[in-house]
Amino acid sequence: MSDSSFEPKIVAFVCNWCTYTGADLAGTSRMKYQSNVRMIRLPCTGRIDPMFIIKAFESGADGVLVSGCHPGDCHYTAGNYHARRRWILFRQLLKFVGIDESRVFFSWVSASEGKKWVDVINEVTDTVRSKGPFTNYQKLNKEFTING
Ligand code: FES
């Protein structure tokens, strides 16, 4: 279902201490990557409420990326472990509201991994582009509104 003119909108929730700094390194190193991602910086992946992800899709995102410090490197000790555990439960919620869970991506990118950030963004963008636009959430929203 790919449309050659389709440019996916991807929202990336990243932690301040590792992934954001890694993305900054990619920028200051003048590495090139696809420009489809809008980053939202949070203190830690443990701070990412699953509703942020639902809200991103509701607002028109075609894919969502969550990225933070590698396991064991979280600046708040265990925030990324909490995020990973939360994801296991969150997958059930995604199915329930009709969001294809394969549109949500997770990665660990450290402050020194600018190249990895570039690779993750390019891979996520290509994957979402091949899936086509995400429209299910809007359809569900419309059904709920019409049927009360
Ligand atoms: Fe980066 Fe917790 S500070 S995941």
Side-chain angles (χ1 to χ4, degrees):
M1 158 173 182
S2 76
D3 169 4
S4 60
S5 65
F6 168 62
E7 281 302 324
K9 291 186 273 312
I10 296 161
V11 176
F13 294 100
V14 301
C15 90
N16 178 55
W17 300 103
C18 286
T19 300
Y20 184 81
T21 311
D24 193 40
L25 176 65
T28 55
S29 304
R30 298 182 182 270
M31 295 178 187
K32 297 206 181 309
Y33 57 93
Q34 300 185 62
S35 59
N36 302 63
V37 174
R38 300 295 174 267
M39 257 196 291
I40 297 175
R41 179 169 52 160
L42 294 158
C44 175
T45 53
R47 173 65 185 88
I48 298 170
D49 188 309
M51 290 311 292
F52 294 174
I53 298 173
I54 302 274
K55 195 72 188 166
F57 282 113
E58 186 187 19
S59 303
D62 301 299
V64 170
L65 169 67
V66 173
S67 186
C69 306
H70 286 267
D73 288 347
C74 175
H75 278 56
Y76 303 96
T77 313
N80 50 6
Y81 290 122
H82 294 306
R84 195 163 60 182
R85 262 184 246 137
R86 203 174 293 143
W87 166 241
I88 293 166
L89 296 173
F90 180 57
R91 284 205 316 221
Q92 305 301 317
L93 177 64
L94 282 181
K95 279 185 205 155
F96 179 74
V97 297
I99 293 172
D100 174 7
E101 67 180 275
S102 69
R103 288 178 181 272
V104 183
F105 303 83
F106 283 83
S107 69
W108 312 123
V109 176
S110 77
S112 63
E113 292 179 318
K115 173 70 173 89
K116 182 176 178 185
W117 173 252
V118 168
D119 292 343
V120 166
I121 294 307
N122 286 336
E123 190 181 324
V124 167
T125 304
D126 289 343
T127 303
V128 175
R129 184 179 289 119
S130 72
K131 289 180 174 294
F134 176 73
T135 54
N136 284 1
Y137 193 86
Q138 284 86 348
K139 281 183 197 164
L140 282 174
N141 231 355
K142 206 171 177 181
E143 283 175 22
F144 287 133
T145 306
I146 291 168
N147 297 327

